[in-house]
Amino acid sequence: MSFPTLPQTIAVIGTGTIGASWATLFLGAGLSVRASDPGAGAEAKLREFIRAAWPSMEALGQTSGRSAGDALAALAFFATPEEAATGADLVQENAPERIEIKRETYAKLESALAPDVVIASSTSGIMPSELQAEMTHPERLVVGHPFNPPHLVPLVEVVPGKLTSGAAVEAAMAFYKAVGKVPIKLNREMIGHIANRLQAAVLRESVYLAREGVASMQDIDLAASMGPGQRWAFIGQGKIFALAGGVGGMGHFLDHLGEAVETWWDDLGDARLDPETRAMLTEAYGTPTEESFAKDVAFRDAALLRRLKALSEDAEGESPEQGA
């Protein structure tokens, strides 16, 4: 079975933080969005999110010439998932992270969708094979896991389940590329996909170092953000070490520092979120107020926007290979 690779009408199911951000991205790509969410005031919240996010989309040149008003006119909101899915060429599902809710949602969606419409789940933790187990057309289900917020952060992880069609994976990859994302394809499903596993590994070592009294969580965060994090924004760790090998590349690096890296690996610590660790982390970061949380999110998004604009400028010239 073939699947549409350039969908024009997208159903966004669930319009919380992630779903609203996806809707913004799709509208910025010039597409039509049919959204659904059972939450009280969900449509008003979604439209306000899009209005607030549109200046960022304009700054990145990702509006397809649309004004915020034009974008909102291309958004339709429906009471149920099956109504939103009617006539959609692709579904981006953002239902709560509970497998029974997602399976119920898929049953409703499949009652309204043609068999050749991909359903992509934003899930960060449920395996696609579990999600598709009760579907009529399980071959259409993929994970399309974004990073928050999807309308700014380029990455999306495309993950197949055991019953997913290769054609569905390729259609999802083509679609995400067409709307400006940087999709990566996992050859098989893995708990946490890739990027969350990398984040979890860094957090585990950070917690271990703090619990061992090596440094505070704040200084460990600075070590990450002001050190390797500056490079991680545009190249991956493998490429960083390959560059450290000079013209000899990774081979030279491994010849000279491979044994040292192995000693670092061997000495990496273990950490668990036991009561003491939870207390340490809570004390280190505190509990935000609504005002301070909004301020932190605004800072994050503004900083992301500045870096993404710089990355876009870099990409216009000769840039490192994507995915390195």
Side-chain angles (χ1 to χ4, degrees):
M1 181 184 296
S2 61
F3 296 87
T5 55
L6 294 174
Q8 296 300 303
T9 301
I10 314 301
V12 175
I13 308 303
T15 59
T17 301
I18 298 299
S21 185
W22 271 125
T24 302
L25 177 82
F26 299 149
L27 291 167
L31 307 179
S32 297
V33 171
R34 298 171 63 86
S36 176
D37 189 293
E43 180 177 4
K45 292 175 184 176
L46 171 60
R47 291 184 180 276
E48 180 54 35
F49 183 101
I50 293 166
R51 287 189 195 94
W54 209 250
S56 294
M57 300 296 288
E58 291 174 331
L60 292 171
Q62 295 179 357
T63 65
S64 301
R66 283 176 166 172
S67 66
D70 294 334
L72 291 169
L75 169 67
F77 199 91
F78 299 90
T80 66
E82 51 267 45
E83 289 178 285
T86 300
D89 304 316
L90 182 140
V91 176
Q92 187 73 46
E93 171 268 307
N94 315 283
E97 285 285 282
R98 291 171 52 189
I99 193 167
E100 65 274 15
I101 293 178
K102 289 185 181 291
R103 285 178 174 174
E104 290 171 5
T105 301
Y106 299 153
K108 294 174 182 178
L109 292 171
E110 287 199 297
S111 72
L113 291 171
D116 64 349
V117 175
V118 168
I119 298 175
S121 176
S122 296
T123 183
S124 58
I126 304 176
M127 294 296 90
S129 291
E130 297 178 10
L131 293 176
Q132 67 189 174
E134 298 179 2
M135 293 179 66
T136 303
H137 293 284
E139 69 278 0
R140 70 162 102 215
L141 190 282
V142 300
V143 165
H145 175 243
F147 256 52
N148 189 28
H151 70 284
L152 294 181
V153 181
L155 178 69
V156 58
E157 298 171 305
V158 177
V159 190
K162 293 177 181 177
L163 301 177
T164 303
S165 163
V169 172
E170 294 308 316
M173 291 287 292
F175 168 68
Y176 288 128
K177 287 180 183 177
V179 297
K181 300 293 281 183
V182 178
I184 62 170
K185 179 173 66 175
L186 275 65
N187 296 321
R188 64 183 181 90
E189 59 192 345
M190 178 69 72
I191 293 173
H193 315 316
I194 292 175
N196 274 338
R197 292 178 71 94
L198 295 175
Q199 289 192 123
V202 172
L203 178 62
R204 181 174 67 180
E205 185 62 15
S206 298
V207 167
Y208 172 76
L209 291 169
R211 289 296 304 271
E212 289 294 303
V214 175
S216 68
M217 284 299 300
Q218 287 80 2
D219 281 349
I220 294 167
D221 278 351
L222 284 172
S225 63
M226 294 295 108
Q230 295 295 312
R231 299 182 296 196
W232 290 336
F234 51 90
I235 53 177
Q237 190 57 53
K239 184 71 170 182
I240 288 169
F241 278 169
L243 289 173
V247 294
M250 182 62 86
H252 184 73
F253 173 83
L254 294 175
D255 287 343
H256 286 264
L257 286 171
E259 289 186 9
V261 171
E262 284 193 318
T263 65
W264 303 339
W265 283 349
D266 292 341
D267 197 52
L268 289 176
D270 191 16
R272 291 291 182 269
L273 294 175
D274 54 34
E276 292 77 15
T277 299
R278 289 173 179 268
M280 180 201 73
L281 290 172
T282 301
E283 181 180 358
Y285 297 103
T287 301
T289 63
E290 187 171 329
E291 181 180 357
S292 68
F293 176 77
K295 183 177 179 181
D296 286 346
V297 169
F299 171 82
R300 178 201 68 187
D301 289 356
L304 270 173
L305 182 60
R306 289 192 295 270
R307 283 154 180 78
L308 288 167
K309 290 174 69 175
L311 279 174
S312 178
E313 293 169 2
D314 290 342
E316 292 174 1
E318 187 174 349
S319 59
E321 182 181 352
Q322 285 287 347

